[in-house]
Amino acid sequence: MEKPFLMSVEDVFHLQQGRLVMLTGRIERGRVRKGDEVEIVGRGSGVTARVVDIDASHVRIDEAGADMNVGVLLRGVAADAVERGHVLATPGSISAHVRFVADITLMSEDQGGADVVSGDRLRFYTRSAALWGTVTLHGVDVVRPLHGAEVTVTLEEQIALEAAQPFAFRQRGRAAGSGTVRRLRR
């Protein structure tokens, strides 16, 4: 069975005086075809729309698959309904969350890693999204550079998340570490 379609939105263009919206990005998995219904998932969205056309390097195509960089044209989507960091997906295949449990690993001090304690506000990067979140450590008081821990992350805004999704984070403006989503929380 084919995996559900998923594309991270990297850029948004408004065409024909706002009647069409082109979402550009790389397809992570699955296929999308002209005429398919898709869902925009992320910060306060959940809008569905129909694919009007697909653009690959200025050539119109009928379908696109995993690892292709494309522009997906949608009609009837409000100008402020989609932005970088959203994902375009098969309806119901992925949902937006603000909390998740993850395993993190810090970089060395030479690479920018610094102690992380519960309550630290970090900048999280996953797919094309970048947003602030607060960590709560599980079972330890501090995570030191080159060490790891299980944490709960509470983001300031909803983003499309799923188990096993990788992410990176920065602390005080410097790259600090990376992690993997273990499970989603409400």
Side-chain angles (χ1 to χ4, degrees):
M1 185 170 148
E2 190 173 314
K3 292 181 178 181
F5 166 70
L6 182 87
M7 181 184 95
S8 180
V9 176
E10 294 176 14
D11 215 339
V12 179
F13 299 95
H14 302 282
L15 310 171
Q16 297 180 358
Q17 288 84 34
R19 289 189 300 269
L20 284 177
V21 174
M22 179 186 282
L23 309 178
T24 62
R26 183 181 145 280
I27 298 174
E28 283 186 36
R29 64 175 179 246
R31 302 189 77 65
V32 64
R33 294 167 186 83
K34 198 170 164 180
D36 282 356
E37 186 174 22
V38 293
E39 181 179 15
I40 300 165
V41 183
R43 303 173 183 141
S45 63
V47 175
T48 58
R50 191 149 314 273
V51 176
V52 174
D53 228 329
I54 303 167
D55 184 291
S57 300
H58 305 293
V59 175
R60 298 298 164 116
I61 58 177
D62 290 333
E63 73 174 48
D67 296 325
M68 290 179 71
N69 288 308
V70 297
V72 177
L73 279 89
L74 306 175
R75 184 179 308 279
V77 175
D80 61 348
V82 62
E83 61 188 43
R84 179 180 174 87
H86 280 124
V87 298
L88 198 58
T90 301
S93 63
I94 190 169
S95 56
H97 298 270
V98 292
R99 292 185 60 190
F100 61 94
V101 175
D103 290 321
I104 63 166
T105 303
L106 298 182
M107 297 165 60
S108 70
E109 287 183 68
D110 294 343
Q111 295 172 316
D115 291 355
V116 171
V117 297
S118 284
D120 275 355
R121 188 169 180 257
L122 307 173
R123 186 80 170 160
F124 290 89
Y125 299 85
T126 185
R127 293 190 176 103
S128 59
L131 60 163
W132 292 100
T134 305
V135 296
T136 304
L137 304 180
H138 297 193
V140 294
D141 294 329
V142 64
V143 182
R144 304 216 183 272
L146 292 178
H147 288 85
E150 180 180 274
V151 300
T152 295
V153 176
T154 304
L155 300 169
E156 292 183 358
E157 298 179 71
Q158 288 189 337
I159 60 168
L161 287 172
E162 54 195 346
Q165 184 173 321
F167 61 90
F169 57 92
R170 296 175 73 88
Q171 182 180 32
R172 296 182 205 99
R174 296 184 59 180
S178 62
T180 304
V181 175
R182 289 187 66 196
R183 65 184 175 275
L184 305 167
R185 301 186 77 184
R186 289 282 172 198

